[in-house]
Amino acid sequence: MTADTGERLIILGVSESDAHAVANQLIAMHLREQGFTVINLGVCTPLSDFAAACDQHPHAEAVLIGSLNGHAYQDLAELPALRAAGRLRCPVIVGGNVSVGQDTTSEQRGRLLALGVDHLLADASRIVPLLDMLRSARNTHATPAHDARIR
Amino acid sequence: MTADTGERLIILGVSESDAHAVANQLIAMHLREQGFTVINLGVCTPLSDFAAACDQHPHAEAVLIGSLNGHAYQDLAELPALRAAGRLRCPVIVGGNVSVGQDTTSEQRGRLLALGVDHLLADASRIVPLLDMLRSARNTHATPAHDARIR
Amino acid sequence: MLSSRLKATLPRWEQIMEGLREPGPHIVDVLRMADATGRPAVQPRCGVGDHREMLRLLEELGTTGADVLTVTVDSHTRLGQYATAQRLLRDSPDDLNGYPLVTHGWRRGRELRGRVPHPLQVRHGSPDARDLFAIALASGVTAFEGGGIGYNLPYSKDVPLKTTLGSWQRIDAVCGALAKDGVLVDRELFGTLSAVLMPPSISLAITLLEAAAAAREGVRCVSPAYPQSGEMHQDIAALRAIRMLGRRYLGTDVEVFPVLHEFMGPFPRTPQYANFLIMYGGLTARLGRASKVVSKTAKESYGIPDAAANAEGILNTILGTSDLLDFVRVDEDRVAEEESWILQEVGELVEPLFSGEDLLGGVVEAFQTGRLDIPFSASVHAHSDVVPARDRGGAVRYADPGALPFSSATRSRHARQLSARTGAARRTTSLIERITRDINYFLDKERTVLPAIDERPLP
Amino acid sequence: MLSSRLKATLPRWEQIMEGLREPGPHIVDVLRMADATGRPAVQPRCGVGDHREMLRLLEELGTTGADVLTVTVDSHTRLGQYATAQRLLRDSPDDLNGYPLVTHGWRRGRELRGRVPHPLQVRHGSPDARDLFAIALASGVTAFEGGGIGYNLPYSKDVPLKTTLGSWQRIDAVCGALAKDGVLVDRELFGTLSAVLMPPSISLAITLLEAAAAAREGVRCVSPAYPQSGEMHQDIAALRAIRMLGRRYLGTDVEVFPVLHEFMGPFPRTPQYANFLIMYGGLTARLGRASKVVSKTAKESYGIPDAAANAEGILNTILGTSDLLDFVRVDEDRVAEEESWILQEVGELVEPLFSGEDLLGGVVEAFQTGRLDIPFSASVHAHSDVVPARDRGGAVRYADPGALPFSSATRSRHARQLSARTGAARRTTSLIERITRDINYFLDKERTVLPAIDERPLP
Ligand code: B12
Ligand code: B12
């Protein structure tokens, strides 16, 4: 599938230690209803499986990783190494409740961004607007400002 | 009635701006059950009425003043003047909820003690023990230490 | 009717009428809506001395979902000690346990009225409230609490009933005139009385007599208030009985809105338990189809609640009235039986008075002879011979009906209901211990329901 | 059965038996007492990484009136990642979302057991819990949660049902042996499954199958757990149906204790509303005569609750079960009807499997063909074709029963119940919006019941 056949492909899954499937399945349904092709790797997906899916689908618009059980940081520990090895090159969007304990404090968000996570979303309804924004930024060939603010 | 006929007389009432009658009537019942003679002046009793009752019953063991509506300090403002004029000479015991707002802070208790209140009681069940203690102190002719701690 | 000094400060009558006709929602709209939806209106008690603080308090409570807000007047103002109230307002407003409405005056009253979209009610406790009533009207407030008995016996030591019944008769006459001009003043009648272990038939009889007196002056909207006893079947029965008595004795041209005052007795210290009881009060109001419920706060046993405690009280009351509890049913037979007893007892108390010509004179005479009475009266003008007690299920019965003109059937029923209490409790404990335990009904339950945990600093 | 490395750390079997025979109260005593009094036992969920903190947490929660306490195991330990759990315990214990029981070992487990007078239960979610079970027994714990289906499909991505059913069969066999020696292990079965909009008949069918499998291994005490849907009549009916199904399919030598898991869906943010729902869960458990209720905390939607939030959850649950609400009745006809539907649906799901000889093989095959299924399965070994939806009253129905072998009567009833939903809601909204709204059932009620007040920092 080439980028210009208009097919918008997304790689979706839940982080390695997390088995929460509800949001994952609802997001897959939602994106498919919006016309996206969704490769849903399901719950408990190690980062290496996401990387393999990226290799298989180089034109994926983004990798969406959900995490609710508060272990996002441990589950994404390999991201810097994978990125250094030239893999998982497309934007990585992480969503859900990304840290153990109360609200996700900025310090915990900072830890994830430091790993190389490109965007953090608290709410699934923000996914499609973000994907549209990233695509338009790519199309104007402007180098996308490394914008890691929470949408 | 003389002190030694064994009759134990108490003057009871509620402070001037306070109309709470329940505790007042229960305390009167309780003291009568315990053998006291109770002169119950009832609710909304100005300090001058307490003083008049003291004049009429010089052998009263104590004057019991209840206050629940938080205005004890204003209602007892005349106590220093009356005491200076040699009236209300027997111990003045004040009980109930003696200040507006949450718990009675030590500062509010201090204000009342400064006016000359001899004892402050939160709970009516402390009344008879205090009266017995005061009487035994009087009988041993030891000058009762000006003990104003909360029982 | 008013002191000339006060009259001088008031606006002209037309100006007052104009204020009263400003767009609502007026109290009567809120009460009619409550009856239509079956969801009681919720009203907190609130009142602080400083005007700006009072505005802020009303605004904050206005956002919590309360349907009616309150201006609780301080003790000095209610006793006419305007100079003391003024001095305290100047020197130490925090020492005022309510809003000194007379000292602040009607212009500031209008400012309170205009600051929130909810109708305001003035609650106080004055034996002679004509000054307060005038300023409330001038402020645009059409919800006013009080009556010749309910605002005398529980609050004042030695004011003759003839005097208070007379002063409230004049207030009701003004309300009658306003009603003819299409302005409906809601007159809430303080059936709570001395608020502790109040037998339902005394509360309902006294508010019914006050309502009848008001109706004769042309009042067209009354809210008889009943204090929650805590036993659900009895409370539902009492609220239902208020509507039945209204139809039976007040005819059809007076709108009757039953009001529940949430449990007034000493309140538990554990926040969760206090909040649960407040929710329980909301549920009682809905199951009894009350038009309005006056909410409590968890701080009840400490002192005047702050805004946050009041807001929490409102939220928990609303939850008790919410559709989440619409599934709840009750033992209808047991409620019907309680209601029949209440209606019979009220009849035995009021019918002798309704048959006489001079209603108010009859009431005064009945209190003198004890044929009308209340427990724990602050006033010397009631015998206080009535001694209440809870039966095994927690319902309030007459341990001693004093000189109340009850039939032998009524007297023996109460004796039977109280004799069934556990033998031990009845014999050994003194009267004061037994009454205090009945007063602390909800406190003792706290120990059996929740373990003796210290007052934990919960979030 | 166990890895040799782990076996080496365990005490001798006689020592384990000695520990299990120490004086109680044991879990089965607490559950029998709950059934006798009609007051469900209350149990919080709690688990922190550090051992001393866990001791303190258990001690504090022990003083709140809870009847059973929990050791919730962290995600890594449940997946057998003992090295990761050990590393986190050493470096950053706060990053563990539970107690790493394997890493801490049975001696520390016994210390937990001995520190509080309440029975402990180990809750986890492991597909293969044999290590955890061994250490729990060695720690003197006789309450263990999990089963071959309930601890596979909602928690694991790709573990064959044959494997988990097999590993839990061995655990149940040990329980059978212990039962013969007079030690009753209570086996709680996770009928909550994926915990969101779980149709009652799926939850009850799956726990019934797990209970039947356990009984065949000699287990004598099972606690089928059911997740509160929030619609009171349906929840009461489901809890009653558990006892009926136990009598019908498990015979008389297995004790069945129905357990209610308080509402697992997303939780409201307003503290008063969250506490109200927690109390509501306690009331549901008592009205449904559950033996035990697992309480929630108001912090549910934020993360792991701290001790104070947990204590508040326990207190509010206890209030829901208290005698203050003994007056509450329900529409018995409506509950009986819901129960009859549940019993019919469970029959249609399980009877084909009970008639075959190989129960476990039949279950595996049924999931492969969709004749058994759950919504939102984490595991690839269930179709996840079942789509749930709430009817107008809030009860959970089947919008799409997938390949479940329901009769046409059952299918048309669900279709009829869902068609009555407001037309607008059904037509315009997408599936995800409709499901999300049903999941957020209690959140949306918060907006209608309580006004849109910001999250006020209430005391
Ligand atoms: C019943 C009641 C009333 C009734 C009184 C009827 C009557 N005739 O008695 C009514 C409804 C009329 C009423 C009115 C008001 N009340 Co009031 N009332 C109460 C309530 C609910 C119970 C009090 C009671 O009877 N308790 C039962 C008895 C047995 O216990 P008790 O009174 O607490 O007494 C114990 C101790 O205080 C002590 N004690 C009491 N008196 C004495 C005396 C002595 C000598 C001693 C040693 C001990 C002692 O021993 C008793 C047993 O342990 C309390 C709140 C509560 N739940 O406690 C508010 C309360 C006392 N009232 C309060 C207020 C503010 C008022 C009003 C000013 C409200 C208003 N703005 O209109 C008016 C005041 C009118 C006036 N002029 O004083 C506040 C006081 C606030 C404060 N102190 O900061 C309270 C605490 C409620 C609140 N939290 O707002 N009230
Ligand atoms: C259902 C549920 C479960 C079910 C899951 C079943 C299943 N197969 O899915 C069960 C019972 C199995 C379960 C187990 C556990 N759970 Co759980 N669970 C929940 C619960 C109650 C609801 C989650 C849910 O489905 N919500 C409905 C969906 C629609 O909303 P959502 O998941 O919140 O997703 C929204 C956002 O997060 C976001 N989002 C989600 N994913 C993604 C992905 C992307 C890319 C984006 C952009 C956005 C996004 O958009 C969604 C819609 O707005 C929550 C608490 C709650 N009330 O929220 C706890 C919760 C998530 N669980 C929690 C925990 C701790 C666990 C356990 C570890 C408990 C334990 N110790 O055993 C285990 C974990 C097992 C594991 N291996 O991961 C904690 C997480 C704590 C933390 N983060 O600090 C929570 C918050 C409960 C709590 N407060 O303790 N759980």
Side-chain angles (χ1 to χ4, degrees):
Chain A
M1 293 150 291
T2 63
D4 43 35
T5 59
E7 185 206 45
R8 306 190 62 182
L9 186 138
I10 299 294
I11 296 170
L12 173 69
V14 186
S15 66
E16 186 167 1
S17 73
D18 189 345
H20 290 92
V22 177
N24 172 264
Q25 292 185 13
L26 291 179
I27 291 171
M29 275 189 249
H30 176 63
L31 293 177
R32 284 171 184 137
E33 261 173 30
Q34 302 289 314
F36 289 87
T37 304
V38 179
I39 311 293
N40 189 358
L41 304 177
V43 297
C44 299
T45 301
L47 213 49
S48 49
D49 287 8
F50 284 108
C54 266
D55 300 342
Q56 223 186 344
H57 304 282
H59 302 299
E61 288 195 19
V63 170
L64 287 169
I65 305 178
S67 168
L68 281 182
N69 70 356
H71 287 192
Y73 186 70
Q74 292 84 13
D75 294 343
L76 302 177
E78 301 310 312
L79 185 54
L82 285 163
R83 277 273 173 79
R87 305 188 60 199
L88 261 176
R89 273 206 310 282
C90 60
V92 170
I93 304 171
V94 172
N97 183 338
V98 287
S99 71
V100 175
Q102 311 308 20
D103 279 321
T104 314
T105 59
S106 51
E107 178 255 334
Q108 278 135 358
R109 275 198 289 269
R111 281 207 310 181
L112 289 170
L113 298 177
L115 283 176
V117 171
D118 300 300
H119 303 279
L120 283 167
L121 290 183
D123 192 326
S125 60
R126 308 297 312 151
I127 295 174
V128 174
L130 176 61
L131 293 175
D132 292 346
M133 192 272 290
L134 289 175
R135 188 168 71 150
S136 64
R138 263 197 314 284
N139 293 350
T140 60
H141 301 299
T143 53
H146 188 70
D147 177 352
R149 271 191 322 284
I150 288 286
R151 288 298 172 283
Chain B
M1 291 148 295
T2 63
D4 45 34
T5 58
E7 185 206 46
R8 307 190 60 182
L9 186 139
I10 300 294
I11 296 170
L12 172 69
V14 187
S15 66
E16 186 167 4
S17 73
D18 189 343
H20 290 91
V22 179
N24 171 265
Q25 292 184 15
L26 291 179
I27 290 171
M29 276 189 248
H30 178 63
L31 292 177
R32 286 174 182 134
E33 263 174 27
Q34 302 291 313
F36 288 87
T37 303
V38 179
I39 309 294
N40 188 357
L41 305 177
V43 298
C44 298
T45 301
L47 213 49
S48 48
D49 287 7
F50 284 109
C54 265
D55 299 343
Q56 222 186 344
H57 304 282
H59 304 299
E61 289 195 15
V63 170
L64 288 169
I65 304 178
S67 167
L68 281 183
N69 70 356
H71 286 193
Y73 186 71
Q74 292 85 11
D75 293 342
L76 301 176
E78 300 312 308
L79 185 55
L82 285 164
R83 278 272 172 79
R87 305 187 59 200
L88 262 177
R89 271 206 310 283
C90 62
V92 170
I93 304 170
V94 171
N97 184 337
V98 286
S99 71
V100 177
Q102 310 308 18
D103 280 322
T104 315
T105 60
S106 52
E107 178 254 334
Q108 278 134 355
R109 275 197 290 269
R111 282 206 311 180
L112 289 170
L113 298 177
L115 282 177
V117 171
D118 299 301
H119 303 281
L120 283 167
L121 289 183
D123 192 324
S125 59
R126 308 298 312 152
I127 294 174
V128 174
L130 176 61
L131 293 176
D132 293 344
M133 193 272 290
L134 289 175
R135 187 170 68 154
S136 63
R138 262 196 317 281
N139 293 350
T140 60
H141 303 300
T143 54
H146 187 71
D147 179 351
R149 273 194 320 287
I150 289 283
R151 289 298 171 287
Chain C
M1 161 161 152
L2 302 176
S3 70
S4 53
R5 193 183 50 69
L6 186 85
K7 212 180 285 179
T9 68
L10 289 176
R12 291 186 333 284
W13 181 254
E14 299 68 29
Q15 245 186 315
I16 293 182
M17 287 303 286
E18 220 178 279
L20 293 173
R21 287 220 175 78
E22 276 170 22
H26 294 291
I27 183 67
V28 71
D29 308 319
V30 171
L31 295 172
R32 287 173 184 157
M33 173 62 80
D35 281 2
T37 59
R39 301 252 170 249
V42 175
Q43 175 180 354
R45 287 190 187 85
C46 48
V48 285
D50 175 67
H51 180 61
R52 264 178 322 288
E53 262 182 61
M54 186 69 195
L55 282 169
R56 248 203 317 278
L57 182 59
L58 288 176
E59 272 174 339
E60 183 165 343
L61 295 186
T63 67
T64 57
D67 307 290
V68 181
L69 295 177
T70 303
V71 178
T72 302
V73 175
D74 67 287
S75 302
H76 295 293
T77 303
R78 83 183 46 179
L79 297 174
Q81 303 158 350
Y82 303 143
T84 317
Q86 192 163 25
R87 181 170 51 75
L88 284 176
L89 181 62
R90 197 189 55 228
D91 303 343
S92 58
D94 287 352
D95 281 346
L96 281 168
N97 60 15
Y99 183 79
L101 181 59
V102 174
T103 307
H104 281 301
W106 66 274
R107 285 186 185 75
R108 285 191 168 177
R110 279 205 178 178
E111 213 187 321
L112 295 183
R113 169 76 184 84
R115 182 61 66 91
V116 281
H118 311 75
L120 293 185
Q121 181 190 46
V122 172
R123 306 177 72 88
H124 44 99
S126 321
D128 181 351
R130 283 171 292 173
D131 292 351
L132 269 175
F133 181 65
I135 294 182
L137 282 185
S139 307
V141 172
T142 55
F144 201 72
E145 187 193 22
I149 307 168
Y151 262 14
N152 179 338
L153 301 182
Y155 286 102
S156 310
K157 177 169 187 171
D158 187 3
V159 178
L161 278 166
K162 191 172 187 307
T163 310
T164 48
L165 286 166
S167 74
W168 282 94
Q169 187 175 25
R170 285 196 198 75
I171 288 175
D172 290 337
V174 174
C175 296
L178 287 169
K180 286 204 185 64
D181 287 353
V183 172
L184 279 182
V185 176
D186 168 49
R187 287 278 297 99
E188 180 168 334
L189 306 166
F190 191 66
T192 295
L193 297 165
S194 30
V196 171
L197 294 176
M198 188 51 58
S201 46
I202 285 185
S203 175
L204 270 56
I206 286 180
T207 49
L208 180 62
L209 291 167
E210 289 180 328
R216 295 182 184 193
E217 300 303 323
V219 166
R220 287 295 161 266
C221 175
V222 291
S223 290
Y226 160 76
Q228 178 191 3
S229 78
E231 203 294 308
M232 186 60 86
H233 305 93
Q234 181 172 54
D235 289 337
I236 293 173
L239 289 166
R240 288 185 189 172
I242 291 175
R243 290 191 193 274
M244 173 63 84
L245 292 166
R247 281 194 294 276
R248 187 177 289 179
Y249 295 100
L250 300 180
T252 52
D253 48 15
V254 182
E255 286 183 272
V256 176
F257 297 106
V259 171
L260 180 74
H261 283 188
E262 286 194 8
F263 182 70
M264 288 285 280
F267 228 66
R269 290 237 166 194
T270 321
Q272 291 77 9
Y273 189 63
N275 287 330
F276 174 83
L277 291 184
I278 292 168
M279 180 281 299
Y280 195 84
L283 175 60
T284 304
R286 191 180 68 70
L287 293 174
R289 282 282 175 278
S291 311
K292 187 176 79 173
V293 52
V294 180
S295 63
K296 303 293 300 183
T297 75
K299 291 280 181 302
E300 199 51 45
S301 55
Y302 305 144
I304 311 289
D306 55 23
N310 229 325
E312 183 150 40
I314 294 164
L315 293 184
N316 282 305
T317 302
I318 291 174
L319 288 171
T321 67
S322 75
D323 63 1
L324 279 158
L325 293 173
D326 279 358
F327 77 90
V328 174
R329 297 285 176 283
V330 291
D331 181 341
E332 287 297 337
D333 298 339
R334 185 167 160 187
V335 171
E337 193 177 36
E338 288 281 349
E339 187 181 356
S340 68
W341 296 338
I342 292 174
L343 293 176
Q344 186 188 344
E345 290 166 27
V346 172
E348 290 169 2
L349 292 176
V350 297
E351 270 161 25
L353 298 164
F354 280 137
S355 54
E357 304 80 38
D358 175 6
L359 181 62
L360 299 189
V363 166
V364 171
E365 204 254 327
F367 273 103
Q368 279 158 358
T369 58
R371 280 180 290 106
L372 277 178
D373 196 358
I374 68 170
F376 309 122
S377 164
S379 165
V380 297
H381 296 288
H383 290 200
S384 282
D385 289 341
V386 173
V387 178
R390 288 184 189 273
D391 65 16
R392 230 146 45 100
V396 176
R397 310 296 181 196
Y398 292 94
D400 182 351
L404 294 175
F406 285 137
S407 62
S408 59
T410 295
R411 288 172 177 275
S412 54
R413 182 177 62 247
H414 283 266
R416 208 171 45 251
Q417 287 164 329
L418 290 176
S419 68
R421 270 180 311 173
T422 45
R426 240 172 1 88
R427 261 192 325 284
T428 54
T429 48
S430 70
L431 182 61
I432 183 172
E433 276 159 356
R434 207 256 307 131
I435 288 189
T436 306
R437 207 182 49 245
D438 283 353
I439 289 173
N440 296 334
Y441 178 68
F442 276 110
L443 285 190
D444 301 342
K445 272 213 177 295
E446 182 179 16
R447 265 190 299 281
T448 53
V449 167
L450 297 180
I453 49 173
D454 49 67
E455 197 184 326
R456 59 180 55 256
L458 288 177
Chain D
M1 161 157 153
L2 303 177
S3 69
S4 53
R5 192 185 51 69
L6 185 87
K7 210 179 284 178
T9 69
L10 291 178
R12 290 186 334 285
W13 181 253
E14 297 68 30
Q15 247 187 315
I16 294 183
M17 287 303 287
E18 219 178 280
L20 293 173
R21 288 221 175 78
E22 277 171 20
H26 295 291
I27 183 68
V28 72
D29 307 321
V30 170
L31 295 171
R32 287 173 186 159
M33 173 62 81
D35 282 2
T37 59
R39 302 257 168 243
V42 175
Q43 176 180 352
R45 286 192 187 82
C46 48
V48 285
D50 174 67
H51 180 60
R52 265 178 320 288
E53 264 183 58
M54 186 68 196
L55 282 169
R56 250 202 318 278
L57 181 59
L58 289 176
E59 272 175 337
E60 183 166 343
L61 295 185
T63 67
T64 57
D67 307 288
V68 181
L69 294 177
T70 304
V71 178
T72 302
V73 174
D74 67 286
S75 304
H76 295 293
T77 303
R78 83 182 48 179
L79 297 173
Q81 303 159 352
Y82 304 142
T84 315
Q86 191 164 24
R87 182 170 51 74
L88 284 176
L89 181 62
R90 198 187 57 232
D91 304 344
S92 56
D94 288 352
D95 280 345
L96 282 167
N97 60 14
Y99 183 80
L101 181 58
V102 175
T103 306
H104 281 301
W106 65 273
R107 284 187 185 74
R108 285 190 167 176
R110 280 203 177 179
E111 214 190 321
L112 295 183
R113 168 78 184 82
R115 185 58 68 88
V116 281
H118 310 76
L120 294 186
Q121 182 191 45
V122 172
R123 305 178 71 87
H124 42 102
S126 320
D128 181 351
R130 282 171 293 173
D131 290 352
L132 270 175
F133 180 64
I135 293 181
L137 283 185
S139 306
V141 171
T142 56
F144 203 71
E145 187 193 24
I149 308 168
Y151 262 15
N152 179 338
L153 301 182
Y155 286 102
S156 310
K157 176 168 187 171
D158 186 4
V159 179
L161 279 166
K162 191 171 184 312
T163 310
T164 49
L165 287 167
S167 76
W168 282 94
Q169 186 175 26
R170 284 194 199 74
I171 287 176
D172 290 335
V174 174
C175 296
L178 286 169
K180 287 203 184 64
D181 287 354
V183 173
L184 278 182
V185 176
D186 168 50
R187 289 278 297 99
E188 180 169 333
L189 306 167
F190 192 65
T192 296
L193 297 165
S194 32
V196 170
L197 293 176
M198 189 50 59
S201 45
I202 286 184
S203 174
L204 270 56
I206 287 179
T207 50
L208 180 61
L209 290 166
E210 288 180 328
R216 295 182 185 193
E217 300 303 323
V219 167
R220 287 296 162 265
C221 175
V222 291
S223 290
Y226 161 76
Q228 178 192 5
S229 79
E231 204 291 312
M232 187 59 86
H233 306 92
Q234 181 172 55
D235 289 339
I236 293 173
L239 289 166
R240 288 184 188 172
I242 291 175
R243 290 191 193 275
M244 173 63 84
L245 291 165
R247 283 193 294 276
R248 185 176 290 178
Y249 294 100
L250 299 180
T252 51
D253 48 13
V254 181
E255 287 184 271
V256 177
F257 298 105
V259 172
L260 180 74
H261 284 187
E262 285 195 8
F263 181 70
M264 288 286 281
F267 228 65
R269 289 238 166 190
T270 321
Q272 292 77 11
Y273 188 65
N275 287 332
F276 175 82
L277 290 185
I278 292 167
M279 180 280 300
Y280 194 83
L283 175 59
T284 304
R286 190 181 67 70
L287 292 176
R289 282 281 177 278
S291 310
K292 188 176 80 172
V293 52
V294 180
S295 63
K296 302 292 300 182
T297 75
K299 292 281 181 301
E300 200 49 46
S301 54
Y302 305 143
I304 311 289
D306 57 22
N310 230 324
E312 184 149 40
I314 294 164
L315 294 184
N316 281 304
T317 302
I318 290 174
L319 288 170
T321 66
S322 76
D323 64 0
L324 279 158
L325 294 172
D326 277 0
F327 77 90
V328 174
R329 298 282 177 286
V330 289
D331 180 341
E332 287 297 337
D333 299 339
R334 185 167 160 187
V335 171
E337 193 179 34
E338 288 280 350
E339 187 181 357
S340 69
W341 296 338
I342 292 174
L343 293 175
Q344 187 189 343
E345 290 166 27
V346 173
E348 291 169 2
L349 292 177
V350 297
E351 271 159 24
L353 298 164
F354 280 138
S355 54
E357 303 77 39
D358 175 7
L359 179 63
L360 298 189
V363 166
V364 171
E365 205 253 327
F367 273 103
Q368 279 159 356
T369 59
R371 279 179 292 109
L372 279 179
D373 196 358
I374 68 170
F376 309 122
S377 165
S379 166
V380 296
H381 296 288
H383 291 200
S384 283
D385 289 341
V386 172
V387 179
R390 289 184 190 273
D391 65 16
R392 229 146 46 100
V396 176
R397 309 298 181 195
Y398 292 92
D400 183 349
L404 294 176
F406 286 135
S407 61
S408 59
T410 295
R411 287 171 176 275
S412 54
R413 183 177 62 246
H414 284 265
R416 209 172 43 252
Q417 287 164 329
L418 290 177
S419 68
R421 269 181 311 173
T422 45
R426 242 172 0 88
R427 258 192 327 282
T428 54
T429 47
S430 71
L431 181 62
I432 183 172
E433 278 161 352
R434 206 255 310 132
I435 288 188
T436 305
R437 206 183 49 245
D438 283 352
I439 289 172
N440 296 334
Y441 178 67
F442 276 109
L443 283 190
D444 300 343
K445 273 214 178 291
E446 182 179 16
R447 265 189 298 280
T448 53
V449 166
L450 298 179
I453 48 172
D454 49 68
E455 197 184 328
R456 62 181 53 257
L458 289 177

